[in-house]
Amino acid sequence: MTVGAGVVALGLLLPGTPATAAPSHTVKITIMASSDVHGNALNWDYYKNAEYDDSTHNDVGLAKISTMVSKIRADRGADHTLLFDSGDTLQGTPLDYYYAKVEPITSTGEIHPMAKAMNAIGYDAVTLGNHEFNYGLPLLGAWVTQMKAPVLGANAVSATTGQPAYQPYVIKTMKVKGEKPIKVGVLGLTNPGVAIWDKANVDGKLRFLDLVETAKKWVPVIRGLGADVVLVTAHAGDDGMSSYGSDLPVENAAAMVAEQVPGVDAVLFGHAHNEVPQRFVTNKVTGQQVLLTEPAKWGQRLSVVDFALAKERGKWTVTGKSSTTLNTNTVAEDPKIVALMKESHDKTVGYVNKVIAQSAQELSAAESPYKDTPILDYIQKVQTDLVGKALAGTADASLPVLSIAAPFSRTAVFPAGPVSVRDMAGLYVYDNTLLGVKLNGAQIKDFLEYSAKYFAQVAPGAPIDLATLTNAGGMPDYNYDQLSGVTYDIDISKPVGQRIVGLSYQGKPVTADQQFVVAINNYRQSGGGGFPHVSTAPVVYNAQVEIRQALIEYAAANGTIDPATFAEANWKLVRDGVPVFEK
C-alpha cells in the first residue's frame, strides 16, 4: 500500500470531529499503546536478511508505529493524545543483542537504539516487561536513564527495603486548549515471572509483587493526587493463568486487576502477544466497565483508546470509552526513525551476516517438532561438550551427561556452505544461558512424559495430520524438550503420562535411581514451562555461558559443521511399537 493509501485507510479507521469542535463542557482524548516491541525498530527480519513479512503480511517496528502515531496526533491534536508502551523492549532481535553484548551500552556509553527511537517518537511513559531484565540490571539501569519517558514498574521492589525499585506511576497533565487541564494517571506493573526467568540477575536484589495487590495500593494514591483518568499499563496477559506454579503471584493478571481493583478506567496490557482490540471487564466492587486492549507484538499493531470526558461540578468524569487496534502494515516507515536507526541497523546487519563456519550439507529445522533432526543434535552436542568438560575433575565427572533442546524455530536452516551468525541466531532465538543439573532416572522419565504432552493422541492406523499432531493443548514448540544421550520412543497412541517407551542408556534400561547430569537452559531450569523436578534439582554447572554464543564459538573453532560428527537419531514417535515416520 502506498503512503497516501495508508493515510486514507487510517483516516477511515479514526472518524470523528476534532475534539476542539465539541462543546466546551465535553472533550475526547486518545490514548495510544504499543507493547512487546522486542527490539524491532525497523521493518526488518535480521534472520532472513530481508524486509519483514509473514503469512498474513504483518509489518513490524517502531518506524511504522511512529508514522501511525504522528497521523493520530495530527488528526486529534497533540494536546488530546498520549502514548504508552507495556513492556518487552530490550530483547528479541539481534539489534538488542548487539547493543547488550557486542557493543554494550554499559561499556560504550552510547544511547541504546530503542531509547533513541522511543525518545524521538515521544512516548509519555513505558512499563518494564520481563525481558527488560534479560541482560542484567546494569544494562537496564543505563536504558532507564537514557529514556526521556518515565520507566514504570510499581511491583518491582528492592529485596532489602521493599521499596519500589523503579518509578511506580506518573500523572500526565493534558493541557487541552480552552479547557480545564485533564490529569491522566498511569500505573506500571511488570511480570512476577522475572523472579524465575531471570533469577540469576535479580535474586537477592529485587522482588516482584502481586499485580492486583500492588494496584490496590497505588490506584487510590493516584486518584488522591487528582487523576481524572486512571490507566494501568501491565506486562501481563489477561487469562488469569501462569506458566509456573503457585509459588509466585499470577503471571497473566491484567483482567484480574480490572475486575478486582476499583478506580481503574482501562488496562493497556501485553506479554501474551495477542491482539485484543477491545474487551470490557466488570469491576466486582464498583460495577464499572473497565476497558482492556492489547496490541499484539513487535509493533504489528497500535492500540487506540478513546475516552469521552464530561465536566461535572468543575471535575472531569469519564462518560464513554472504546478502543481498537490498527495494523501498521497500512502505513510507511517514518523516514525520521529510519535515518535515526541507520548506523545501529547497519552494524547489526554486518554482525549477523558474518560467516563463522562451512556446513557440509543443508540442515533444516522444519521437521524438528516431530522428528529427531541433525540441526537440533548440533545444539545437543555443543551443550553436552561444554557441561562435560566443566565437570572434569569434579565429584560428578563420572556421571553421564545428557542434554535437552527444543525446536525454537521451524524455519531455521544451516545452508550447505557458508553459515553465518544470522543462521545460528535463527536456530537459537532466545538469549538463554546453560546450566547442568542432576536428575535420576525416574525424574528423567517424568520430565519426558511431561514433554510428550505436546503430541495429540492418535490411534494406531489412523492417518497422521501434521497440522494437528503437535502443540496439543496449546503447548508451544519451545516447550517440547527433546533429550539426547539416552534412547527412547514416544508412543502417541497412548494417553498423556504413559508415552515414554524403552528409555535406555548405552543399550540398557534406565533405572529409577540411576544418576545423570542434564545440560539445560536457564528458562527451563528456573521453572519456565512448569516441567517437573528441574527447578529443585542440584545445580552442578552454571558458568553463565550464553547458549547461542556457545554455538557460534563452537562452529567458528571447528570451521565446519558436519552432521556425521554429531547427528544421532535417539528418539522417535511410534504407535504400538510401529514408527510413525519412515525416517
Side-chain angles (χ1 to χ4, degrees), residues 278-579:
Q278 177 177 278
R279 178 187 173 191
F280 284 100
V281 171
T282 303
N283 185 271
K284 287 182 174 179
V285 181
T286 65
Q288 180 187 15
Q289 293 293 293
V290 183
L291 176 64
L292 290 87
T293 181
E294 181 182 20
K297 62 182 180 183
W298 304 351
Q300 294 176 353
R301 302 289 186 274
L302 180 72
S303 283
V304 180
V305 184
D306 288 322
F307 286 102
L309 301 172
K311 206 184 292 179
E312 297 177 1
R313 294 186 292 278
K315 181 173 172 57
W316 291 111
T317 303
V318 175
T319 57
K321 48 186 137 175
S322 63
S323 65
T324 189
T325 48
L326 303 183
N327 195 328
T328 58
N329 71 7
T330 61
V331 298
E333 290 187 299
D334 184 341
K336 176 180 71 176
I337 304 301
V338 173
L340 193 63
M341 294 294 102
K342 185 177 187 331
E343 182 182 354
S344 54
H345 172 71
D346 289 348
K347 279 186 176 181
T348 306
V349 169
Y351 167 71
V352 298
N353 285 288
K354 180 181 176 184
V355 172
I356 51 173
Q358 301 287 321
S359 180
Q361 64 190 71
E362 180 178 290
L363 303 178
S364 168
E367 296 182 327
S368 293
Y370 48 87
K371 290 184 182 180
D372 188 339
T373 53
I375 198 167
L376 256 65
D377 286 344
Y378 176 74
I379 299 173
Q380 308 279 35
K381 169 68 172 172
V382 174
Q383 293 183 160
T384 300
D385 280 9
L386 267 172
V387 173
K389 287 175 182 175
L391 293 179
T394 72
D396 300 305
S398 62
L399 294 181
V401 178
L402 315 181
S403 172
I404 66 149
F408 289 160
S409 170
R410 299 189 185 205
T411 59
V413 174
F414 290 172
V419 175
S420 65
V421 169
R422 172 167 56 86
D423 298 320
M424 203 64 72
L427 171 64
Y428 209 98
V429 299
Y430 298 109
D431 300 314
N432 293 333
T433 57
L434 183 65
L435 295 93
V437 297
K438 277 169 73 169
L439 295 174
N440 63 34
Q443 292 170 325
I444 285 169
K445 174 80 158 40
D446 286 348
F447 184 98
L448 289 173
E449 290 285 8
Y450 185 93
S451 187
K453 294 193 306 178
Y454 173 76
F455 296 103
Q457 188 171 358
V458 186
I464 295 292
D465 180 1
L466 292 180
T468 58
L469 176 63
T470 62
N471 308 103
M475 189 171 175
D477 290 353
Y478 62 75
N479 276 345
Y480 171 49
D481 280 352
Q482 304 168 16
L483 191 67
S484 74
V486 289
T487 56
Y488 60 97
D489 292 343
I490 302 172
D491 192 332
I492 60 171
S493 70
K494 299 292 192 289
V496 169
Q498 302 173 33
R499 293 179 166 180
I500 302 303
V501 180
L503 179 61
S504 301
Y505 174 70
Q506 292 187 345
K508 296 179 180 178
V510 170
T511 60
D513 60 352
Q514 196 169 353
Q515 296 290 305
F516 298 90
V517 171
V518 181
I520 192 169
N521 67 57
N522 66 298
Y523 174 79
R524 186 68 75 239
Q525 183 275 334
S526 60
F531 279 67
H533 307 304
V534 288
S535 64
T536 55
V539 175
V540 297
Y541 169 80
N542 185 9
Q544 291 294 294
V545 170
E546 276 200 45
I547 296 172
R548 181 196 297 143
Q549 193 59 31
L551 299 176
I552 291 168
E553 291 174 4
Y554 191 93
N558 286 278
T560 59
I561 297 173
D562 186 352
T565 64
F566 57 80
E568 184 180 351
N570 66 292
W571 68 270
K572 64 182 180 295
L573 300 184
V574 300
R575 288 180 292 184
D576 282 349
V578 179

Side-chain angles (χ1 to χ4, degrees), residues 153-158 161-168 206 209 214 217-218:
N155 59 325
V157 301
S158 165
T161 68
Q163 295 301 304
Y166 302 91
Q167 187 169 330
L206 296 175
L209 307 180
T214 303
K217 172 183 176 179
W218 289 106

Side-chain angles (χ1 to χ4, degrees), residues 110-124:
E110 275 195 53
I111 297 178
H112 195 289
M114 298 304 284
K116 280 185 188 176
M118 291 180 122
N119 288 343
I121 295 168
Y123 276 78
D124 291 289

